[in-house]
Amino acid sequence: MGTFLGYAFTLTLLFCMAQGKVLYYDFVVKETPINMLCETNRTVLTVNGLFPGPEIRAHKGDTIYVNVTNIGPYGVTIHWHGVSQLRYPWSDGPENITQCPIPTNSSFLQKVILTEEEGTLWWHAHSDWTRATVHGPIIILPVTNYPYKFDEQHTIVLSEWYARDTKAIIDEALATGGDPDLSVAYTINGQPGDSYPCYNGLMYDITVVQGKTYLFRIIHSGLNEEMFFGIAKHNLTVVGMDGAYLKPLKTSYLMITPGQTMDVLVTANQTPGRYYMVFSPFTDTDAPSNDNVTRGIFQYNGSYNHSETPALPELPGFTNKSDAGNFTVQLRSLNSKEHPSTVPTKITRNVTITVSVNEQPCPANKTCLGPQGSIHSASLNNISFWTPSISILQAYYNNISGVYNKTFPDKPPFMFDYTGNVSALGDAAFVSTEVLMIKYNEEVEIRFQGTNFGAAENHPMHLHGYSFYVVGMGDGNFNDAYVSKYNTVDPPYVNTVGLPKNGWTAIRFKANNPGVWFMHCHLDRHASWGMDTVLIVGEGPNKDQKILPPPQHMPPCSWS
């Protein structure tokens, strides 16, 4: 078997330099048969034969080494979602952005550097659509105490299940320009629940004790659908999100997008019985969507009629945009002495990015399956990202030209009524590999502006290498007058944020993590169509402000 592993003495030196404890995990990516809903039983790509994959558990400040061995049928990469990987983008994972795929029958030792993260994050494949089944939790425990109390904790991973191989689905869709297949089911910890025929009793359940409080670590690993979540007759208290603490928010439901994680307290304070916990999709678009739900059971121990049908939660309707937005705008950082907010207030770089679903014309002598015979596309600032065949990070670090252009614009190429009638404007975007260059230590504000092109909808935008403060959000076109209404005291500190349909979202961060960092919509169909870009953050003058050297063995790229 081929390998990219370094020598033991090299690892020993690295371990001695690490802060906190050093932990080791082995991941084997391989095909595994999974029984699911009878007609959709199939072999899928997994890690260690598990769906969802194995949990990584560490403390704040630890360093984790994961030896990823790929014995699957094609190359794959692994991303540690929400981990900033301070000065070490080499293990961040997005395919052909920071590394080339790990070839089949070979290994890559990935170093995961934990710094300020505390709470729930997750890991997933970051090549094609393989993250549909290649994903799992990262639980980062505090070094001292939690800022809240609970009796037990449980991890809940929401996934989407597809009837066919997901790599084949997206490869086919990109070849034809048409819509990719929809998922056929949602699962909670790999179990679809009784809302599906032929579920064969596969239903997640948790048994609770009356009076106790439970911490639910909820991870949305799905590819393309945003979700509401609730437990019948029980309130939820949101206390964390994306590896950072929040002011406790009491609510009857959550709205969670692909890529996001939420830490939620639930107190078992109802009459002993069985209660449904439900994930139900939020769809604010005309694009095709999977309108199924998935259910689990929140059941009390003790004596009662266990055969009674569980109560259902009252969740917002599938298309309830106002309830989705009302939940999101209530989130606030904890901003305590132990966990302060440090919102940048002296902005030195202001970037506006329009977010669009586009169409490209069908090439001559080809039949395309997009709208009116076109090709589905997507863009940021009218640039549809073209992923190179080699790694942007390695090209940047080694000064190899011709891989990307340093010309991603700070504002849209022209102004228009972004959320109004755009029928007079062309739907096609410029297809290119453009990156946004940012100087070290700049205080950056990015204003995402939704547009009315194509099937407008909410877009969960994710930035690698950074968490950021969400200082503002609203409907319609952004206006400079909104800046005075920003929350710069305790905005949520996250790595993935929903951009409202035909609305705007403003984020801030300090560019103190040099490297090459991917930014993209976390709806995978949009990312596959080009709703992506790359931020290259330059180095500072001091040694501790520079990118750390690469590992001795990276997965190989072809530079020809």
Side-chain angles (χ1 to χ4, degrees), residues 79-84 116-122 124 138 140 220 241-244 246 257-262 448 459-470 492-498 507-509 518-522:
H79 167 55
W80 319 97
H81 185 112
V83 178
S84 63
E116 64 178 2
E117 303 88 1
E118 190 172 328
T120 306
L121 296 174
W122 62 302
H124 60 82
I138 302 175
I140 306 171
H220 190 341
M241 184 174 178
D242 286 2
L246 295 173
T257 72
Q260 290 180 333
T261 67
M262 292 185 185
F448 294 109
H459 298 285
M461 302 303 298
H462 172 51
L463 175 59
H464 292 223
Y466 289 89
S467 288
F468 49 78
Y469 291 98
V470 182
Y493 189 56
V494 299
N495 61 63
T496 305
V497 64
I507 69 171
R508 290 183 175 183
F509 62 94
F518 201 30
M519 184 169 71
H520 60 94
C521 179
H522 227 282

Side-chain angles (χ1 to χ4, degrees), residues 248-271:
L249 172 65
K250 292 185 178 180
T251 178
S252 61
Y253 68 93
L254 311 178
M255 202 292 278
I256 185 168
T257 72
Q260 290 180 333
T261 67
M262 292 185 185
D263 295 337
V264 180
L265 299 178
V266 184
T267 299
N269 56 8
Q270 297 299 306
T271 302

Side-chain angles (χ1 to χ4, degrees), residues 32 59 65 92 128 145 222 321 373 417 526 541:
T32 303
H59 284 84
Y65 286 88
D92 190 50
D128 302 301
N145 299 314
K321 181 177 183 290
D417 182 3
H526 293 167

Side-chain angles (χ1 to χ4, degrees), residues 264-339:
V264 180
L265 299 178
V266 184
T267 299
N269 56 8
Q270 297 299 306
T271 302
R274 302 172 76 235
Y275 300 84
Y276 275 125
M277 59 176 77
V278 176
F279 284 100
S280 173
F282 164 56
T283 56
D284 62 346
T285 177
D286 295 330
S289 60
N290 175 359
D291 290 340
N292 291 307
V293 304
T294 183
R295 300 195 293 233
I297 297 290
F298 186 87
Q299 62 187 7
Y300 287 69
N301 71 346
S303 299
Y304 55 87
N305 186 355
H306 286 252
S307 63
E308 284 189 358
T309 301
L312 282 166
E314 296 181 4
L315 292 177
F318 288 175
T319 61
N320 194 326
K321 181 177 183 290
S322 61
D323 278 3
N326 288 340
F327 170 79
T328 302
V329 298
Q330 294 181 75
L331 300 172
R332 297 285 185 271
S333 287
L334 184 58
N335 193 24
S336 66
K337 181 179 179 181
E338 295 79 13
H339 304 280

Side-chain angles (χ1 to χ4, degrees), residues 89 97-98 351 353 380 385 392 396 408 434-438 444 446 448 462-464 466 507 509 511 513-520 532-538:
I97 306 299
T98 60
V351 181
I353 299 178
L380 300 177
F385 187 80
I392 290 178
Y396 169 71
F408 188 91
E434 309 289 329
V435 306
L436 179 64
M437 305 298 295
I438 294 176
V444 182
I446 297 179
F448 294 109
H462 172 51
L463 175 59
H464 292 223
Y466 289 89
I507 69 171
F509 62 94
N513 188 13
V516 172
W517 306 111
F518 201 30
M519 184 169 71
H520 60 94
D532 327 280
T533 192
V534 168
L535 276 59
I536 296 184
V537 177

